[in-house]
Every structure is written in C-alpha cells, then in structure tokens.
Amino acid sequence: MRSLIDIQDLTPTEIDELISVANDIIANPKKYSEVCRGKKLATLFFEPSTRTRLSFEAAMYELGGNVMSVSSGSSSSASKGESVADTAKTVSCYADIIAMRHPKEGAPLVAAMNASIPVINAGDGGHNHPTQTLTDLLTISREKGRLSDLTVGFCGDLKFGRTVHSLISALSRYTGIKIVLISPEELKVPNYITDDVLDRNGIAYEETTDLITALPSLDILYMTRVQRERFFNEEDYLRLKDSYILTPDKLRHARKDLSIMHPLPRVNEIAVAIDDDPRACYFKQVYNGKIVRMALIMKLLEVSV
Ligand code: NCD
C-alpha cells in the first residue's frame, strides 16, 4: 500500500506515468468513468481550501467513486482533542483512501503511519504540497513539452509557500534546470531548500529581490501569494503583502513564450488584466489539478482501465 506524503515518494518514471495517464484522461474521459465504482475517498481538511478539496472530490466522482468529507477542523472530533493517529485509524474503517490537509507540518505522515489505507498529503503547514506539484508538472509538460532544460522563476512568499518547496524538490531531479528565487529578504526559501535540495543536487540557482531584471531569462514564472496565515504578526504581513504585483506593463520585459503559473488563490500578485494574456496558465492549472488527481487516485488504489 502506497501513500503520497512528499513528492520524492514518487520516482521520475512514476511521475511520467501519471502525466501520461492524465493526458489520456483528457483525451478519453469516458474510458475512466467507472474505474473507481464502489470506492470511497475521504477528504479531511483541517485548513481552508477551495481547489484542492473540490478537485479531489471532482476527481473521485469522475472516476465513478464516492466521497466523504470533513471540510473544517471545527466540524470534526479534532476539535474535541482527537489525535491525527486516531482519526486516521477511524477513517480507515470507512473509506478506501484519504486526502488530508493539516496546519501542522508532518500531520499527513503521522496519518499515513497509522492508517490502513493510502493517505495523500493535500498540504501540511508551510511544508509540502505534492499534489499541487503533480498539477504543476502536468501543466509544465503540456505547455512546454518537457520537464528539463527550463529556467523557472519563483516569486513571492518562498519561505512559507509549500507549493514552492515541493515543486523545487521535484524539479531538482531533471537536467538543465535553472531556478531564480525572487522574494523579499524576509521571505527567502528555507535553508533546507537551498542546502539539501538545490546545492545537494547541483542545481543552478540565484536569489534576487528584483522581479523585472529576472523576467527576461524565464521560461516559467511561478507567482505565489504571501501566506498571511503563517505570519506571526499582521504588521509584517501588511508590509510584505504587495511586494510583487505582476502587471501588463512589467510583462513587457518577459519572453513571448513565458508561462505564468500560480497555484491560486490569487490575492493581488497578478493583475486581472493578465488573465487574457496567452501566457497566463493558472486557470489551466486548476483543470490539470483535477485530472492529475484522477491519475493519482487510480495509482494509489491500484485500479486500471
Ligand atoms: C496553495 C496552498 O494551499 O498551499 N493553494 C492550493 O492548494 N492551490 C497556495 C496558497 O494557498 O497560496
């Protein structure tokens, strides 16, 4: 039985397979409409979510399966003090697979160690978000036709942004990757990303505070929201929240074939006027997120067409 807690739990070959199943689902959705008949997904979300929870649920419905949902900590026994381990043992009696989001880093790992069914990490604190990474990799592969030989800029809250940490970790296994880290000094990526991921894998990277000078070299610009809920004080958040706002004017410095990505939700980081620019990919990411989660659920439940 397999769980997905960290993107490194999947080999690059397995990621290629998920991308190829996802592409087949896009081409032939009917083929997959009954493969999870009789199976149940439990979504346990102890933090807010729109896309991740609904995309997991839509994915399971589109595979012909069923869904049970805890959509906030306050509506579950977690609010009575139940441990993650006990919740995982309990839900294992009802469901076939769990998708869990939790504010505590490592909570989905604890769930996986105690569950008797596969557990998918749907975001743990400021740590990891491996299914957003699968979404991002599917999007990059569909937009660029490759996952190697790319210059990828990450912009915004690189300290608390878990989607950034997981995607850098995933990209560090491909060749010809260059990473440009664009953030305020206070929101730089954690040291474990520069030391244990980038340096250890010999990935070329630079850190800068300046989006405009970084833009011309980028194949992909991955914008992120400043993660208000992870700040210790509101004043710091208010000072940093509008550090980077991508506007049509700034985009004139970018390449014609740039792909602009964002895990969403967007607050202020991308002007709405950019949504109609052919380089904007963030709503395509939303669609790809449902599709790649269909492929992942099938893999972890070991079902095939
Ligand atoms: C992200 C998350 O929850 O980490 N959202 C998502 O899952 N698409 C990004 C964010 O909240 O800023």
Side-chain angles (χ1 to χ4, degrees):
M1 191 198 61
R2 294 276 300 274
S3 285
L4 175 63
I5 303 302
D6 186 299
I7 194 66
Q8 299 285 336
D9 295 342
L10 294 167
T11 64
T13 307
E14 287 179 308
I15 288 177
D16 285 347
E17 285 161 7
L18 287 171
I19 289 175
S20 103
V21 172
N23 284 322
D24 193 53
I25 294 172
I26 292 170
N28 308 290
K30 284 218 177 78
K31 212 167 109 184
Y32 294 86
S33 65
E34 296 289 333
V35 291
C36 283
R37 178 70 56 213
K39 302 278 189 195
K40 281 169 280 174
L41 163 74
T43 52
L44 309 181
F45 276 58
F46 301 102
E47 261 196 344
S49 168
T50 298
R51 270 152 296 274
T52 306
R53 185 166 69 85
L54 294 186
S55 66
F56 266 114
E57 297 183 359
M60 194 53 162
Y61 285 127
E62 293 203 15
L63 294 169
N66 295 303
V67 173
M68 293 175 291
S69 188
V70 167
S71 58
S72 76
S74 58
S75 70
S76 76
S77 286
S79 68
K80 301 180 185 174
E82 183 167 61
S83 68
V84 167
D86 286 1
T87 301
K89 284 181 187 155
T90 301
V91 177
S92 298
C93 300
Y94 307 142
D96 299 287
I97 185 164
I98 292 172
M100 174 183 277
R101 170 169 288 190
H102 203 285
K104 284 212 182 101
E105 308 193 345
L109 175 62
V110 172
M113 289 162 63
N114 287 277
S116 54
I117 59 177
V119 174
I120 302 170
N121 178 3
D124 62 329
H127 192 212
N128 277 323
H129 195 346
T131 63
Q132 181 65 43
T133 298
L134 293 175
T135 301
D136 299 338
L137 294 173
L138 175 60
T139 304
I140 294 170
S141 139
R142 288 179 67 82
E143 295 301 311
K144 297 287 182 224
R146 63 187 191 277
L147 294 173
S148 54
D149 302 307
L150 292 166
T151 300
V152 185
F154 290 88
C155 179
D157 185 347
L158 310 188
K159 179 177 182 186
F160 296 116
R162 57 194 172 194
T163 64
V164 171
H165 307 155
S166 291
L167 182 54
I168 291 176
S169 168
L171 289 172
S172 72
R173 298 192 293 191
Y174 297 92
T175 55
I177 296 291
K178 287 191 196 134
I179 304 275
V180 184
L181 301 165
I182 309 151
S183 76
E185 280 296 321
E186 290 110 308
L187 297 179
K188 284 162 76 167
V189 289
N191 287 340
Y192 82 87
I193 296 288
T194 45
D195 300 353
D196 300 348
V197 180
L198 294 168
D199 288 339
R200 183 167 299 171
N201 292 291
I203 301 294
Y205 73 95
E206 60 182 276
E207 295 187 288
T208 174
T209 54
D210 188 6
L211 172 59
I212 302 232
T213 51
L215 259 179
S217 69
L218 303 181
D219 297 302
I220 292 166
L221 172 61
Y222 194 96
M223 294 296 292
T224 62
R225 162 182 81 89
V226 176
Q227 307 276 302
R228 179 181 206 159
E229 65 275 35
R230 316 241 183 261
F231 275 69
F232 291 109
N233 72 68
E234 183 75 0
E235 267 165 44
D236 286 348
Y237 169 72
L238 293 173
R239 189 168 45 81
L240 293 167
K241 73 182 174 70
D242 291 329
S243 298
Y244 302 100
I245 301 176
L246 190 64
T247 56
D249 200 38
K250 289 188 189 136
L251 257 193
R252 285 191 285 118
H253 299 268
R255 289 171 42 172
K256 293 269 172 288
D257 64 349
L258 174 73
S259 296
I260 306 164
M261 298 176 64
H262 191 309
L264 303 181
R266 152 176 65 185
V267 183
N268 240 350
E269 316 75 56
I270 302 181
V272 174
I274 289 178
D275 296 2
D276 294 329
D277 190 297
R279 291 170 284 189
C281 296
Y282 27 96
F283 289 106
K284 291 186 196 168
Q285 278 170 274
V286 175
Y287 173 75
N288 291 337
K290 177 185 73 174
I291 302 293
V292 86
R293 288 179 175 100
M294 291 171 73
L296 177 67
I297 290 169
M298 286 177 59
K299 179 177 176 61
L300 296 182
L301 287 179
E302 298 177 6
V303 300
S304 47
V305 278

PDB file of all heavy atoms in Angstrom, residues 51-52 101 129 132 162-163 225 227 263-265, ligand 1:
ATOM      1  N   ARG A  51      -9.816  24.829  -4.197  1.00  0.00           N
ATOM      2  CA  ARG A  51      -9.380  23.995  -5.306  1.00  0.00           C
ATOM      3  C   ARG A  51      -8.962  22.591  -4.895  1.00  0.00           C
ATOM      4  O   ARG A  51      -9.352  21.610  -5.529  1.00  0.00           O
ATOM      5  CB  ARG A  51      -8.164  24.613  -6.032  1.00  0.00           C
ATOM      6  CG  ARG A  51      -8.511  25.535  -7.153  1.00  0.00           C
ATOM      7  CD  ARG A  51      -7.405  26.543  -7.312  1.00  0.00           C
ATOM      8  NE  ARG A  51      -7.345  27.326  -6.115  1.00  0.00           N
ATOM      9  CZ  ARG A  51      -8.099  28.408  -5.905  1.00  0.00           C
ATOM     10  NH1 ARG A  51      -8.876  28.859  -6.835  1.00  0.00           N
ATOM     11  NH2 ARG A  51      -8.056  29.056  -4.759  1.00  0.00           N
ATOM     12  N   THR A  52      -8.139  22.488  -3.870  1.00  0.00           N
ATOM     13  CA  THR A  52      -7.562  21.171  -3.604  1.00  0.00           C
ATOM     14  C   THR A  52      -8.660  20.188  -3.182  1.00  0.00           C
ATOM     15  O   THR A  52      -8.754  19.086  -3.723  1.00  0.00           O
ATOM     16  CB  THR A  52      -6.446  21.268  -2.545  1.00  0.00           C
ATOM     17  OG1 THR A  52      -5.507  22.244  -2.993  1.00  0.00           O
ATOM     18  CG2 THR A  52      -5.737  19.938  -2.362  1.00  0.00           C
ATOM     19  N   ARG A 101      -5.462  17.598   4.519  1.00  0.00           N
ATOM     20  CA  ARG A 101      -4.765  18.889   4.666  1.00  0.00           C
ATOM     21  C   ARG A 101      -4.765  19.253   6.133  1.00  0.00           C
ATOM     22  O   ARG A 101      -5.787  19.124   6.813  1.00  0.00           O
ATOM     23  CB  ARG A 101      -5.466  19.971   3.853  1.00  0.00           C
ATOM     24  CG  ARG A 101      -4.938  21.361   4.169  1.00  0.00           C
ATOM     25  CD  ARG A 101      -5.420  22.395   3.199  1.00  0.00           C
ATOM     26  NE  ARG A 101      -4.778  22.236   1.897  1.00  0.00           N
ATOM     27  CZ  ARG A 101      -4.874  23.120   0.909  1.00  0.00           C
ATOM     28  NH1 ARG A 101      -5.591  24.209   1.061  1.00  0.00           N
ATOM     29  NH2 ARG A 101      -4.260  22.916  -0.232  1.00  0.00           N
ATOM     30  N   HIS A 129       3.348  20.214  -0.554  1.00  0.00           N
ATOM     31  CA  HIS A 129       2.043  20.110  -1.215  1.00  0.00           C
ATOM     32  C   HIS A 129       2.230  19.300  -2.503  1.00  0.00           C
ATOM     33  O   HIS A 129       2.175  19.835  -3.610  1.00  0.00           O
ATOM     34  CB  HIS A 129       1.528  21.530  -1.516  1.00  0.00           C
ATOM     35  CG  HIS A 129       0.078  21.608  -1.856  1.00  0.00           C
ATOM     36  ND1 HIS A 129      -0.708  20.516  -2.189  1.00  0.00           N
ATOM     37  CD2 HIS A 129      -0.746  22.687  -1.933  1.00  0.00           C
ATOM     38  CE1 HIS A 129      -1.935  20.922  -2.452  1.00  0.00           C
ATOM     39  NE2 HIS A 129      -1.987  22.235  -2.293  1.00  0.00           N
ATOM     40  N   GLN A 132      -0.176  19.502  -5.590  1.00  0.00           N
ATOM     41  CA  GLN A 132      -0.067  20.736  -6.381  1.00  0.00           C
ATOM     42  C   GLN A 132       1.125  20.603  -7.326  1.00  0.00           C
ATOM     43  O   GLN A 132       1.086  21.037  -8.472  1.00  0.00           O
ATOM     44  CB  GLN A 132       0.082  21.956  -5.468  1.00  0.00           C
ATOM     45  CG  GLN A 132       0.179  23.273  -6.240  1.00  0.00           C
ATOM     46  CD  GLN A 132      -1.082  23.632  -7.013  1.00  0.00           C
ATOM     47  OE1 GLN A 132      -2.184  23.484  -6.501  1.00  0.00           O
ATOM     48  NE2 GLN A 132      -0.933  24.078  -8.261  1.00  0.00           N
ATOM     49  N   ARG A 162       4.286  26.415   0.543  1.00  0.00           N
ATOM     50  CA  ARG A 162       4.598  24.968   0.455  1.00  0.00           C
ATOM     51  C   ARG A 162       4.609  24.463  -0.976  1.00  0.00           C
ATOM     52  O   ARG A 162       5.333  23.517  -1.303  1.00  0.00           O
ATOM     53  CB  ARG A 162       3.590  24.188   1.300  1.00  0.00           C
ATOM     54  CG  ARG A 162       2.127  24.437   0.907  1.00  0.00           C
ATOM     55  CD  ARG A 162       1.191  23.910   1.974  1.00  0.00           C
ATOM     56  NE  ARG A 162      -0.194  24.290   1.730  1.00  0.00           N
ATOM     57  CZ  ARG A 162      -1.157  24.197   2.634  1.00  0.00           C
ATOM     58  NH1 ARG A 162      -0.896  23.729   3.838  1.00  0.00           N
ATOM     59  NH2 ARG A 162      -2.384  24.543   2.342  1.00  0.00           N
ATOM     60  N   THR A 163       3.833  25.110  -1.869  1.00  0.00           N
ATOM     61  CA  THR A 163       3.829  24.631  -3.264  1.00  0.00           C
ATOM     62  C   THR A 163       5.202  24.859  -3.892  1.00  0.00           C
ATOM     63  O   THR A 163       5.647  24.074  -4.726  1.00  0.00           O
ATOM     64  CB  THR A 163       2.760  25.369  -4.096  1.00  0.00           C
ATOM     65  OG1 THR A 163       3.085  26.755  -4.176  1.00  0.00           O
ATOM     66  CG2 THR A 163       1.377  25.224  -3.481  1.00  0.00           C
ATOM     67  N   ARG A 225       1.178  33.760  -3.499  1.00  0.00           N
ATOM     68  CA  ARG A 225       0.537  34.661  -2.535  1.00  0.00           C
ATOM     69  C   ARG A 225       1.388  34.739  -1.266  1.00  0.00           C
ATOM     70  O   ARG A 225       1.994  33.737  -0.865  1.00  0.00           O
ATOM     71  CB  ARG A 225      -0.827  34.017  -2.226  1.00  0.00           C
ATOM     72  CG  ARG A 225      -1.551  34.445  -1.002  1.00  0.00           C
ATOM     73  CD  ARG A 225      -2.862  33.638  -0.873  1.00  0.00           C
ATOM     74  NE  ARG A 225      -2.651  32.315  -0.301  1.00  0.00           N
ATOM     75  CZ  ARG A 225      -2.683  32.031   1.008  1.00  0.00           C
ATOM     76  NH1 ARG A 225      -2.927  32.982   1.890  1.00  0.00           N
ATOM     77  NH2 ARG A 225      -2.481  30.803   1.443  1.00  0.00           N
ATOM     78  N   GLN A 227       1.680  34.306   2.430  1.00  0.00           N
ATOM     79  CA  GLN A 227       0.866  33.369   3.216  1.00  0.00           C
ATOM     80  C   GLN A 227       0.504  33.969   4.583  1.00  0.00           C
ATOM     81  O   GLN A 227       1.105  33.639   5.604  1.00  0.00           O
ATOM     82  CB  GLN A 227       1.629  32.055   3.403  1.00  0.00           C
ATOM     83  CG  GLN A 227       2.117  31.440   2.099  1.00  0.00           C
ATOM     84  CD  GLN A 227       1.064  30.602   1.412  1.00  0.00           C
ATOM     85  OE1 GLN A 227       0.548  29.652   1.983  1.00  0.00           O
ATOM     86  NE2 GLN A 227       0.722  30.953   0.181  1.00  0.00           N
ATOM     87  N   PRO A 263      -0.380  28.810  -8.039  1.00  0.00           N
ATOM     88  CA  PRO A 263      -1.207  27.707  -7.515  1.00  0.00           C
ATOM     89  C   PRO A 263      -2.618  28.177  -7.168  1.00  0.00           C
ATOM     90  O   PRO A 263      -3.517  27.351  -7.021  1.00  0.00           O
ATOM     91  CB  PRO A 263      -0.452  27.265  -6.256  1.00  0.00           C
ATOM     92  CG  PRO A 263       0.344  28.472  -5.825  1.00  0.00           C
ATOM     93  CD  PRO A 263       0.699  29.189  -7.106  1.00  0.00           C
ATOM     94  N   LEU A 264      -2.796  29.501  -7.013  1.00  0.00           N
ATOM     95  CA  LEU A 264      -4.055  30.111  -6.566  1.00  0.00           C
ATOM     96  C   LEU A 264      -4.344  29.658  -5.126  1.00  0.00           C
ATOM     97  O   LEU A 264      -3.891  28.602  -4.739  1.00  0.00           O
ATOM     98  CB  LEU A 264      -5.215  29.787  -7.511  1.00  0.00           C
ATOM     99  CG  LEU A 264      -5.004  30.191  -8.985  1.00  0.00           C
ATOM    100  CD1 LEU A 264      -6.257  29.812  -9.794  1.00  0.00           C
ATOM    101  CD2 LEU A 264      -4.727  31.686  -9.114  1.00  0.00           C
ATOM    102  N   PRO A 265      -5.038  30.389  -4.291  1.00  0.00           N
ATOM    103  CA  PRO A 265      -5.746  31.621  -4.608  1.00  0.00           C
ATOM    104  C   PRO A 265      -4.812  32.816  -4.830  1.00  0.00           C
ATOM    105  O   PRO A 265      -3.778  32.942  -4.185  1.00  0.00           O
ATOM    106  CB  PRO A 265      -6.598  31.850  -3.355  1.00  0.00           C
ATOM    107  CG  PRO A 265      -5.825  31.207  -2.242  1.00  0.00           C
ATOM    108  CD  PRO A 265      -5.192  30.014  -2.863  1.00  0.00           C
TER     109      PRO A 265
HETATM  110  C1  NCD B   1      -1.918  26.645  -2.245  1.00  0.00           C
HETATM  111  C2  NCD B   1      -1.822  26.037  -0.860  1.00  0.00           C
HETATM  112  O1  NCD B   1      -2.848  25.703  -0.261  1.00  0.00           O
HETATM  113  O2  NCD B   1      -0.702  25.871  -0.431  1.00  0.00           O
HETATM  114  N1  NCD B   1      -3.200  26.560  -2.771  1.00  0.00           N
HETATM  115  C3  NCD B   1      -3.554  25.425  -3.451  1.00  0.00           C
HETATM  116  O3  NCD B   1      -3.602  24.357  -2.903  1.00  0.00           O
HETATM  117  N2  NCD B   1      -3.769  25.533  -4.765  1.00  0.00           N
HETATM  118  C4  NCD B   1      -1.336  28.009  -2.340  1.00  0.00           C
HETATM  119  C5  NCD B   1      -1.804  29.060  -1.370  1.00  0.00           C
HETATM  120  O4  NCD B   1      -2.649  28.823  -0.509  1.00  0.00           O
HETATM  121  O5  NCD B   1      -1.300  30.176  -1.506  1.00  0.00           O
END
